[in-house]
Amino acid sequence: MIFILKRGVSQEQVDKFVAGWEQQGLSAFVRPGTEHTAVCLIGNTAHVDMERVVELEPIVDYARRVTEPYKLVSRTVQQENTIIRVGGAEYSPSTFPVISGPCSVESEEQVVLIAKRIKAAGARLLRGGAFKPRTSPYSFQGLGEEGLRFLLTAKQETGLPIVTEIMNQTQIPLFEDVDVVQIGARNMQNFDLLKAVGRMGKTVLLKRGLANTIEELLMSAEYLMSEGCENIILCERGIRTFETMTRNTLDLSAVVLLKQKCHLPVIVDPSHAAGIRSLVPPLSKAALAVGADGLMVETHNDPAKALCDGAQSLDLDMFDKLMDDLKTRAPLEGRTI
Amino acid sequence: MIFILKRGVSQEQVDKFVAGWEQQGLSAFVRPGTEHTAVCLIGNTAHVDMERVVELEPIVDYARRVTEPYKLVSRTVQQENTIIRVGGAEYSPSTFPVISGPCSVESEEQVVLIAKRIKAAGARLLRGGAFKPRTSPYSFQGLGEEGLRFLLTAKQETGLPIVTEIMNQTQIPLFEDVDVVQIGARNMQNFDLLKAVGRMGKTVLLKRGLANTIEELLMSAEYLMSEGCENIILCERGIRTFETMTRNTLDLSAVVLLKQKCHLPVIVDPSHAAGIRSLVPPLSKAALAVGADGLMVETHNDPAKALCDGAQSLDLDMFDKLMDDLKTRAPLEGRTI
Amino acid sequence: MIFILKRGVSQEQVDKFVAGWEQQGLSAFVRPGTEHTAVCLIGNTAHVDMERVVELEPIVDYARRVTEPYKLVSRTVQQENTIIRVGGAEYSPSTFPVISGPCSVESEEQVVLIAKRIKAAGARLLRGGAFKPRTSPYSFQGLGEEGLRFLLTAKQETGLPIVTEIMNQTQIPLFEDVDVVQIGARNMQNFDLLKAVGRMGKTVLLKRGLANTIEELLMSAEYLMSEGCENIILCERGIRTFETMTRNTLDLSAVVLLKQKCHLPVIVDPSHAAGIRSLVPPLSKAALAVGADGLMVETHNDPAKALCDGAQSLDLDMFDKLMDDLKTRAPLEGRTI
Amino acid sequence: MIFILKRGVSQEQVDKFVAGWEQQGLSAFVRPGTEHTAVCLIGNTAHVDMERVVELEPIVDYARRVTEPYKLVSRTVQQENTIIRVGGAEYSPSTFPVISGPCSVESEEQVVLIAKRIKAAGARLLRGGAFKPRTSPYSFQGLGEEGLRFLLTAKQETGLPIVTEIMNQTQIPLFEDVDVVQIGARNMQNFDLLKAVGRMGKTVLLKRGLANTIEELLMSAEYLMSEGCENIILCERGIRTFETMTRNTLDLSAVVLLKQKCHLPVIVDPSHAAGIRSLVPPLSKAALAVGADGLMVETHNDPAKALCDGAQSLDLDMFDKLMDDLKTRAPLEGRTI
């Protein structure tokens, strides 16, 4: 159940209103908007008489029962787009920040070199894997803490905020200086991890699981937000289908639907979706055209020698070319790269 | 097995070369290119000594064994894009013709009205269903022959070539004046229909089946081409996945892969893929950006009253707006609408 | 809308009742049961006042609006199982007839040899492909009419009724002596073929399409039945999923659900589902245990040399062993082989 | 790379052999069998000259390069079935233990009552959720530690060993008295959890993820085994497909393939696969018939009031009936319940 409060209501009035509900055993989340504040009740609200509340509570403009299972992330609760700022990057309807970097951090030299090149090309954030989820226990599992240190060095040298994946909640202390904490596709429904990361006070990049529906992605974002996390970036990265010629099937319709139903920014990762280098530039352009709020693209200084996912990484010259193509097209979508 | 012949080889030499293979029980298809002619052998070629052929046949430049199961549609056999002209419309790397019209033809007035409006907006071909495949025997099955007549009237009034679906080979005589014969998604592997339509001498629009792989689509095009059909337009229209929020999942990666592997034009039908009107414009822009050679978009003069698929049809004002958006973006992809 | 008539209603009364509806532009199908006759109205019944009908029509016991999109095939309309007899074979809750034979008929000797062996092992019907749907135009497409003649010879020599696939409606005259006309998975939604085959007066074996839902299968059976076809055998044969280790994923839950919702017999084809010989016997036993009404299993006298689908065919000794295993287990399910 | 050692080789000889490989930077796992010991080399073995090893090492019978990505769980490495004993229950080719209990533990009385009834019916292990993964943050998340205590009480009162799900590695200390630690479908590729649980020295029940392939399931079992876990029970519980009438599609072919490729026991969970009570008994019988080594079936004393997944739980009388059906059929498969 959602209450939209009248304009000009004081903080004190809101606090009193919330306290009233909490005495009845319900949770009440306050969502201030630019014009109106919304209050979102969670718990068994079957006994609440909506019309009486509007009548009796002078601060309430109108009340509405919500049937979608997600609430805090819903556009019904917050109509304005959530704007997220990380370092110099901004996620908003008028920007299109590109995250780039290697699948896994391999050495300090490598990640610094890549960071400089992608920054020059116009990327706004640096990504790199330090802890890598791998299907086989015998595959390279990432450099771990050392990898995180190399990323921080690259951040110092370039000023680019960093994005990297957390694999379990015991790693939280290591992520203190990370700008954006990524929850990978395989952990999208690791609910305990969502709760713990939701309490970190960080910007979170939440990737869609490869067999998860759009609604399940929104419910996982709801887990984060119900723990107090405000800055969540959703990421479409391909779903598992019967088609075997691509690694996964990129679902660009999901971008449009997520933005209709939810106020959070939505980006696209064409590299993991396709698993094939030559598909990354056309899918990136399609992501911009379909209305995505940004991209995450894998790059490598020498893809043929990459320790992980080389086949889908762009080399740095290809990345320059892609950024040029995006810069030409972004103004038509009302965005700047 | 494919032979690329030397430049300047005479027709007589080619005929003799082909006749030699046919005496050995193999079929040989000749594919003339702008510079080189390719000859494609079909049948059990295991016993053919490729190197000896190159040595002994002075007209052969080089020979190659093909491992892809498709041959005639393959870029290996024909590197140049197939250019298709239908009425005033042209499918080529520098054009982006848009097909539009109602899901099913409902009356002469309706289809003429829509045809005039979409032509004014820049559409190049008119589509409309006369014979409709419907899941239920109790749903409206189309106007049949009368529907075809109405389409022809609309063609006369506007000059737009017409595209309409054939459902079985007994209907072939009725399609004499149809410009582009559509094979629907459910008939993509109706092999007897493919063979019969392949012999019609028409341009064919072949839609991907909702559970068919990219390779299977190419094999079905191969059926058409092996019967002599040269002008085939492939159409991605969404595949069936676990996601239920859209009717199907549009697979734009398939567009890129089809164009890499095959010389035929590839278009996108966002209306049937999404099943939701508001997704059609963004997916259309994405199709242009990803490299498609055209679009097929459902329109209706009054979607709320459509006898079929109203929820996914654009009304005529929305179509005007979409065409404007496409015209602004097409030059960046080197195309004209 | 369905009316259940009172016991002892005369044919004349029923005819008058039906005629009344037809005057109102509705179709009325009569479905006699062992105790009660059901009348099923098709068309726009929104204006029909159900309660008034029960009140005014003395022969009506009760009336019910149906929300399922299928009617004639529904258990709501006919609670008793449809019993189907073909030659000496019977489909019923107390039998478990096994259909067997080669994927494609290769010669008269082959099919007669296989027919004799499978009959000795306890099979009740002989299957064999004469017209074969193949993904590639260059694959063996079956012996055609000659193949049908070989099947008929085998029927004469063994007395086994024959099952074989029709690929398009122009072949109908050739199927005069065929006992069970099979509609293959790829043609499950070839609606024109369904209508034409529904009028043949034959028993039809309808296979589930590899990307079709349970409800769509029931709708295709409804197409057949609405043309007058009473004897329809449904067949689960695997659906297309992301798993690549089997050709398709056999969906045994579908067998249970189909039997709950529909009065027609449901059989299982484990050979096409799995595509791997060693999976056929365990999946056959599972089909019996789950409640299927029969099986269709591919056999070949020399699988290694089969012209089609050899990898999934049992050799004749394996088939003997499987039939022994089924005969031991059938009594526990209240069935005889 | 796998070495099969000669019969009668001493422990000392094995240790020396292993040490030799470890000096070369490779890991060597020793897998003693009833007749032969296998040694499995992991790491980059490209430089190892297989033939020379057989020649030079007198204890080696033969050597083989493995192409499957899994090794320790493979039947190539261990041909004999792994027999697992937990309390009085045994997983082996001649047994068919049934695990049962409520989706989530709701109270001490409830779980003790259910435990007594299922034990009387023939169940061998008790399951119950204490920590519950739920799609929504607002759904009941289980009783947590209190739930574990109630399970232990039920174990004391009935002697049934208990199976319950762990959701993250910080919970490991709480699972000291749990007999079988379950890794749920959503955690099948939570690789850090697999590693931590693999070191617990417990029997592990590993469920297939709803979008994971058979090979990925084997790779996750390989994670457990490479950490020293010997007793792993694999569980097929349905995969996500386009079909919406069931919650998931139970893939019984996977049971057969897993047992062909791997030496671990494989059980089936029909409750979560189907999500519909009436499908559980027929699918259970099918699981026995297809060759599964056991079952996991949800039961509840009052399904209509269950806090979680009531729609798929059997009531206790239905469970009695199912166990009777299984007991009649198990001898035909050479098993005892």
Side-chain angles (χ1 to χ4, degrees), chain A residues 134 138 192 211 222-223 240, chain D residues 134 138 168 211 222-223 240:
Chain A
R134 301 301 298 273
Y138 313 124
D192 286 354
E222 186 83 8
Y223 260 98
R240 191 163 259 188
Chain D
R134 301 302 297 272
Y138 312 124
N168 74 71
E222 186 83 10
Y223 260 98
R240 191 162 259 188

Side-chain angles (χ1 to χ4, degrees), chain A residues 42 134-138 141 167-169 171 186 189-192 195 211 216 219 222-223 240, chain D residues 42 134-138 141 167-169 171 186 189-192 195 211 216 219 222-223 240:
Chain A
I42 289 169
R134 301 301 298 273
T135 305
S136 165
Y138 313 124
Q141 314 255 325
M167 279 181 65
N168 74 71
Q169 50 266 64
Q171 295 168 345
R186 289 183 183 77
Q189 290 197 318
N190 183 338
F191 303 115
D192 286 354
K195 288 183 205 168
E216 287 170 344
M219 291 310 296
E222 186 83 8
Y223 260 98
R240 191 163 259 188
Chain D
I42 289 170
R134 301 302 297 272
T135 304
S136 165
Y138 312 124
Q141 314 255 325
M167 277 181 64
N168 74 71
Q169 50 267 64
Q171 295 168 343
R186 288 183 184 78
Q189 291 197 318
N190 183 338
F191 302 116
D192 286 354
K195 287 184 206 167
E216 287 169 344
M219 291 310 296
E222 186 83 10
Y223 260 98
R240 191 162 259 188

